[in-house]
Amino acid sequence: MKKKKTANAIMVAVIAVIVVGGVLVAGHIRGWFDKTPEAAVLTDYKGVVTIEREGVAYNVQEDTALRKGDKISLAPDATVKISLGGTAGESKTSRVVVTASLLTSDTGSSAEKGSIVLGESAVLTVEDPSQRNFKASISAGEAFVSAKDAPVDISFDGKEVTLKQAAAALSIRAGAQSMAVYSGEVDGVAAGNVKEWVGTESSVYELDINSLNDFVIAQIRAAGDGAGLVIAKADVDALVEKRQAEKEAAIRQAEEEAKAEAERKAAEEAARKAEEEQKAAEEAAAKAEADRKAAEEAKKKAEEAKKAAEEAAKKAQSEEEKKAAEEAARKAEEEARKAEEERKAAEEAARKAAEEEAARKAEEERKAKEEEERRKAEEEAKKNYCYISIRCDTILNNLDDLDPAKAPYVPSNGWILGKKKVEFEEGETVCDVLKRVCSNYGIQLEYSWTPAYNSYYIEGIHHLYEFDCGPESGWMYKVNGWFPNYGCSSYYLKKDDNIVWCYTCKGLGADVGAPPMN
């Protein structure tokens, strides 16, 4: 008995050691015991944010002090904060709050040393977690970096930039990268300008508010005018309202078109039903007419039998024959009366049957219509729709520059395709929808793959090509009023996106509202 108790005690002790060891290992990996005040802090996460550390990957569920080699990956729609001031677990009154869609400062922002915003699907690897000289590389996605006195070094695709007393937005995509500076100066680029790299080539051009995407807009709106950015919050608010108004207008137009189409189909359906009802009524009338003729024929035969009986009665030589003749005449009259009643009953039965059949069909059609409308509503709610249009109205103002051979392809109102509501699948791009609508509406389209941009390039639409209306002419696209700085096969569609393909003639897009390019 004593040996058994001793063995149980040893087993309990071993299990306790294993549990404590597991907790210590997990705590070491997750940074539970990190108290270094000089390390940047990953916090205020939302959605799925994964950190890979020492060969172990796990979802972030608490404030985490960063280490060298940490790899941070964001799922779509996830948000996260990297604060370059303070340590994990301390009061947020001295730290900056940064998320993928929000940049705010808590009370006590005078202690702010800098911050980094990671956009959705971003991937960042920490090279130096120190708050005094934070270094990291970004391999995908977008980031909004705000640096104070302490420098922040960021590398991407072989390029390196250092931010100090500056704020900039970085966009890293296959084959092309860009950096928009919103305060201070970065890599020789002053605030209000954008530097873009394509392969080994680079160019600098002036920042235009119309080029801002939702990610950058969120940072500027949340930061407010006190952040000293070159674009005021009020201007961004106005841009958001304008884009929302354009999207709502596109939705309204599509709804009106859908309503008109539904009314047209309803009218066709009503006409079809009326035709079927008329046909059924004609068939019922034909049947009633056949019944009437059959009754008349029976009546005629009965009358003939009566006459024959009367003639036989006249010729009868005995009282008995006379009575027999009279009885035959009576029976003939009775048969004629019954035949008339049967005819009337047949007509009434035919009328009632026609009414009941019509009522039954009407009820079935009503229920079928309600069920169809419910099913269509459910299917419609599951679908994704966007809106697309194609215009070349700028050519109408530059006809002197137009290749005369291309004049027949320019519509008098400048619209090749008015706004159309188009269904799309999750993961489809602007390029996918353009190819589909051009095929559906018989619009000529030519495109080619561009390795430098890792995207398709639209060469011609409706037989109108680059340089057909001057040396700066060609096709561009915008989504919700914004001209993306990457190819149309790299823009993944979201519900209710409003796509406009427009032909530019002057200023490499300036005449259609695009930001200037140098």
Side-chain angles (χ1 to χ4, degrees), residues 320-389:
E320 213 171 89
E321 289 176 344
K322 183 178 179 181
K323 288 182 179 179
E326 289 177 350
E327 180 65 19
R330 186 188 65 75
K331 288 183 177 179
E333 287 182 358
E334 182 66 18
E335 289 176 357
R337 184 185 63 77
K338 287 183 178 180
E340 179 66 15
E341 290 177 352
E342 289 174 355
R343 182 187 68 78
K344 291 181 179 180
E347 289 181 351
E348 181 65 17
R351 183 186 64 77
K352 288 184 178 180
E355 289 178 354
E356 290 174 355
E357 180 65 15
R360 185 186 63 79
K361 286 184 177 180
E363 180 64 16
E364 288 179 352
E365 290 171 356
R366 184 188 65 79
K367 290 181 179 179
K369 182 178 179 182
E370 289 180 353
E371 178 63 21
E372 180 67 12
E373 289 176 351
R374 183 192 63 78
R375 184 185 62 79
K376 286 183 178 179
E378 290 178 353
E379 291 179 354
E380 195 71 16
K382 296 177 182 177
K383 294 179 180 179
N384 290 319
Y385 289 100
C386 65
Y387 309 90
I388 186 169
S389 57

Side-chain angles (χ1 to χ4, degrees), residues 256-266:
E256 290 172 359
E257 292 177 354
K259 182 180 178 181
E261 179 67 11
E263 291 175 350
R264 182 188 66 78
K265 289 183 178 179

Side-chain angles (χ1 to χ4, degrees), residues 217-437:
I217 286 174
Q219 315 315 316
I220 296 175
R221 295 181 83 183
D225 295 331
L229 305 182
V230 292
I231 297 180
K233 179 178 179 295
D235 294 335
V236 171
D237 290 342
L239 176 64
V240 172
E241 291 179 2
K242 175 185 174 184
R243 290 182 180 177
Q244 183 62 30
E246 290 179 352
K247 180 181 287 189
E248 290 174 355
I251 293 173
R252 284 195 300 272
Q253 180 175 344
E255 289 175 346
E256 290 172 359
E257 292 177 354
K259 182 180 178 181
E261 179 67 11
E263 291 175 350
R264 182 188 66 78
K265 289 183 178 179
E268 291 179 352
E269 181 66 15
R272 183 188 64 79
K273 289 181 179 178
E275 185 177 349
E276 290 178 353
E277 290 172 356
Q278 181 180 354
K279 185 177 179 181
E282 290 174 353
E283 290 176 352
K287 186 175 184 300
E289 179 64 16
D291 293 340
R292 184 188 64 78
K293 288 182 177 179
E296 287 180 352
E297 183 67 20
K299 181 180 180 182
K300 180 180 178 183
K301 288 181 179 180
E303 289 176 350
E304 289 176 353
K306 179 183 177 182
K307 287 180 180 179
E310 289 175 349
E311 290 176 357
K314 290 179 181 178
K315 295 179 180 178
Q317 297 298 317
S318 65
E319 187 66 24
E320 213 171 89
E321 289 176 344
K322 183 178 179 181
K323 288 182 179 179
E326 289 177 350
E327 180 65 19
R330 186 188 65 75
K331 288 183 177 179
E333 287 182 358
E334 182 66 18
E335 289 176 357
R337 184 185 63 77
K338 287 183 178 180
E340 179 66 15
E341 290 177 352
E342 289 174 355
R343 182 187 68 78
K344 291 181 179 180
E347 289 181 351
E348 181 65 17
R351 183 186 64 77
K352 288 184 178 180
E355 289 178 354
E356 290 174 355
E357 180 65 15
R360 185 186 63 79
K361 286 184 177 180
E363 180 64 16
E364 288 179 352
E365 290 171 356
R366 184 188 65 79
K367 290 181 179 179
K369 182 178 179 182
E370 289 180 353
E371 178 63 21
E372 180 67 12
E373 289 176 351
R374 183 192 63 78
R375 184 185 62 79
K376 286 183 178 179
E378 290 178 353
E379 291 179 354
E380 195 71 16
K382 296 177 182 177
K383 294 179 180 179
N384 290 319
Y385 289 100
C386 65
Y387 309 90
I388 186 169
S389 57
I390 306 173
R391 53 187 289 188
C392 61
D393 49 319
T394 50
I395 295 179
L396 300 177
N397 299 324
N398 298 275
L399 292 176
D400 292 341
D401 298 326
L402 180 65
D403 181 350
K406 297 303 179 77
Y409 300 111
V410 181
S412 59
N413 64 354
W415 286 89
I416 295 172
L417 180 70
K419 279 183 182 176
K420 299 296 180 184
K421 183 178 181 180
V422 181
E423 183 182 358
F424 69 91
E425 299 295 332
E426 193 74 23
E428 285 197 301
T429 66
V430 168
C431 185
D432 295 327
V433 169
L434 176 65
K435 289 191 287 186
R436 186 155 64 249
V437 297

Side-chain angles (χ1 to χ4, degrees), residues 45-67:
Y45 50 87
K46 180 182 178 183
V48 179
V49 179
T50 303
I51 185 168
E52 184 177 334
R53 172 177 290 176
E54 299 183 15
V56 178
Y58 61 93
N59 292 342
V60 177
Q61 296 179 344
E62 58 198 352
D63 288 3
T64 303
L66 295 176
R67 297 180 189 170

